[in-house]
Amino acid sequence: EEQRRLLQNRPDQPRSPRVLRVAVIGAPNAGKSTLSNQLLGRKVFPVSKKVHTTRCKARGVITHQDTQLIILDTPGLTNPLKAKRHNLDEAMLTDPWDSMKHADLVLVLVDVSDHWTRNSLSKEVLKCLSQFPHIPSILVLNKVDLLKKKFLLLEIATDLTEGIVNGKKVEVKSALKQDDSSSAKSPLHESKVPGSHFGQERNQAQEGSGLDRSSGVGVAGTGKAQGPKHHGPEDLKDTKGWPHFQEIFMLAALRGEEVDTLKRYLLMQAKPGPWEFHSDVLTNQSPQEICDNIIREKILEYLPLEVPYGVTQVTEIWQEGECGELLIVQSLLVPRESHKRMLIGRGGKVISRIAQEAGQDLMNAFLCDVRLKLKVEVKS
């Protein structure tokens, strides 16, 4: 009731409100929801190692002093063929595009630990960027802690930007000969790319970027760049990167490394405008939607690939006790008896683990005691 009241009533407004709508896009499983949760400081978006955990666009709200950031967490950009394979709703195809229409800034997230995909943006991401070239965009390289050879980050960044950041050409050069006493703490101290977070002095928090000195490489601007060529849908097939990014960030979202640096940057980009949400709102999702998402996240985590996508969740009881505790009883409907056995597990171990972990996440999300009971039934 409190959440509904906050969402329905007109939001409070400071004297000089500022706002920024950020669309977080990327390939499935790049870490979009993990990053969104870290920016918010609470877990309100489902996270799983399996693709397509996020099924619809949801909004997270960060209110800091006079500024409000609205994080548009979107499903991973996919195509109709893959959507059909995973039995996904049509919204999975349209929601990222809808989010782009409302965005003031686009955050493109790339998983640098995936050596198969990290050196080129997916065709779906490139198509999305080329459809909305007027919206400022930044590149965020995620999971840098999993990359043992840090010097590869520069190669990856150069490929993904086509060698152009903030309108300036970028060149990679060795920094091994730099004297330690005169160098900055970041190995990317040779960066002279205006606006690039490879090595800005004003960005002091960059010192802990998860990069070590042993990478021995740097990035430098080479003065005036040639104007980046326009990308139309017809020539995207030969394109690997996007030459219009204004900034590049490197972080490890799961561990929270450098997330505050990104958050401060986003707050700085906000423009004057009225707040869309009350300052007490953390997400536009209802508590029931958060509950469904968290339970489904655990089902995705512990069941074989084909099973979770066929589970239907039905909340039977949602009761608040006298002391503020929450009792939730949910039925999980599966299409086959074999799926029921897998979901319950031997001696009920799987379903018990799902209920225990989901209950803990719900307590962290709602900041109250939660008693969660799950039942498994075959769809009639």
Side-chain angles (χ1 to χ4, degrees), residues 14 78 118 143 151 162 171 187 280 314 332 338 343 355 361 366:
T78 189
R118 65 191 179 198
K143 308 184 188 180
F151 65 85
E162 295 198 341
E171 70 174 18
D280 289 337
V314 179
L332 306 175
S338 60
L343 186 48
D361 280 356
F366 298 149

Side-chain angles (χ1 to χ4, degrees), residues 88-361:
L88 305 175
D89 298 333
E90 189 178 339
M92 296 284 284
L93 295 170
T94 59
D95 279 353
W97 297 87
D98 289 342
S99 293
M100 292 287 287
K101 292 174 186 173
H102 298 101
D104 303 311
L105 184 141
V106 185
L107 188 158
V108 178
L109 198 65
V110 174
D111 174 5
V112 297
S113 71
D114 188 341
H115 68 277
W116 296 106
T117 61
R118 65 191 179 198
N119 286 93
S120 62
L121 297 173
S122 74
K123 291 295 175 254
E124 285 78 23
V125 168
L126 282 168
K127 185 179 176 185
C128 213
L129 289 169
S130 66
Q131 291 282 84
F132 301 91
H134 58 285
I135 303 176
S137 57
I138 62 173
L139 174 66
V140 177
L141 305 182
N142 190 25
K143 308 184 188 180
V144 298
D145 55 318
L146 301 179
L147 199 62
K148 291 181 180 178
K149 299 176 180 177
K150 302 301 184 198
F151 65 85
L152 289 175
L153 285 169
L154 294 168
E155 177 189 310
I156 294 166
T158 303
D159 286 344
L160 297 180
T161 62
E162 295 198 341
I164 297 173
V165 179
N166 198 28
K168 298 287 185 183
K169 263 192 176 179
V170 169
E171 70 174 18
V172 177
K173 60 180 182 178
S174 172
L176 287 172
K177 296 179 182 177
Q178 279 286 333
D179 184 77
D180 276 1
S181 62
S182 62
S183 63
K185 292 188 179 180
S186 166
L188 304 177
H189 56 269
E190 293 220 7
S191 169
K192 296 183 179 65
V193 184
S196 168
H197 279 252
F198 275 135
Q200 282 184 340
E201 289 183 12
R202 66 177 171 83
N203 186 3
Q204 296 174 352
Q206 191 68 8
E207 293 175 2
S209 63
L211 304 170
D212 56 38
R213 219 186 263 278
S214 62
S215 60
V217 283
V219 177
T222 59
K224 282 194 174 181
Q226 297 171 354
K229 60 181 182 290
H230 177 72
H231 287 260
E234 69 282 350
D235 57 17
L236 286 179
K237 64 179 183 295
D238 300 320
T239 304
K240 289 173 62 177
W242 182 248
H244 306 288
F245 288 120
Q246 293 190 348
E247 301 272 0
I248 304 178
F249 291 85
M250 302 179 184
L251 50 78
L254 187 60
R255 294 167 60 170
E257 291 179 4
E258 289 305 295
V259 173
D260 279 346
T261 301
L262 174 62
K263 187 174 178 178
R264 285 197 297 273
Y265 170 80
L266 295 175
L267 289 167
M268 286 167 54
Q269 302 309 303
K271 301 290 189 291
W275 286 358
E276 287 187 30
F277 296 95
H278 191 279
S279 55
D280 289 337
V281 169
L282 195 67
T283 176
N284 67 334
Q285 300 171 95
S286 70
Q288 286 88 346
E289 286 173 322
I290 295 173
C291 176
D292 286 352
N293 285 335
I294 285 176
I295 293 171
R296 187 166 52 80
E297 167 198 314
K298 304 304 176 187
I299 297 171
L300 280 164
E301 200 67 33
Y302 291 116
L303 290 185
L305 188 62
E306 77 280 1
V307 179
Y309 300 102
V311 175
T312 302
Q313 298 166 252
V314 179
T315 300
E316 296 184 355
I317 297 176
W318 184 287
Q319 285 181 353
E320 290 186 52
E322 293 179 3
C323 299
E325 74 277 12
L326 189 58
L327 171 63
I328 303 169
V329 178
Q330 189 170 101
S331 289
L332 306 175
L333 308 180
V334 294
R336 289 195 279 278
E337 189 70 35
S338 60
H339 290 181
K340 178 181 177 180
R341 288 195 296 270
M342 279 190 272
L343 186 48
I344 293 174
R346 184 175 293 178
K349 283 187 177 179
V350 175
I351 195 67
S352 296
R353 188 171 185 178
I354 290 171
Q356 182 181 0
E357 292 189 10
Q360 186 61 54
D361 280 356

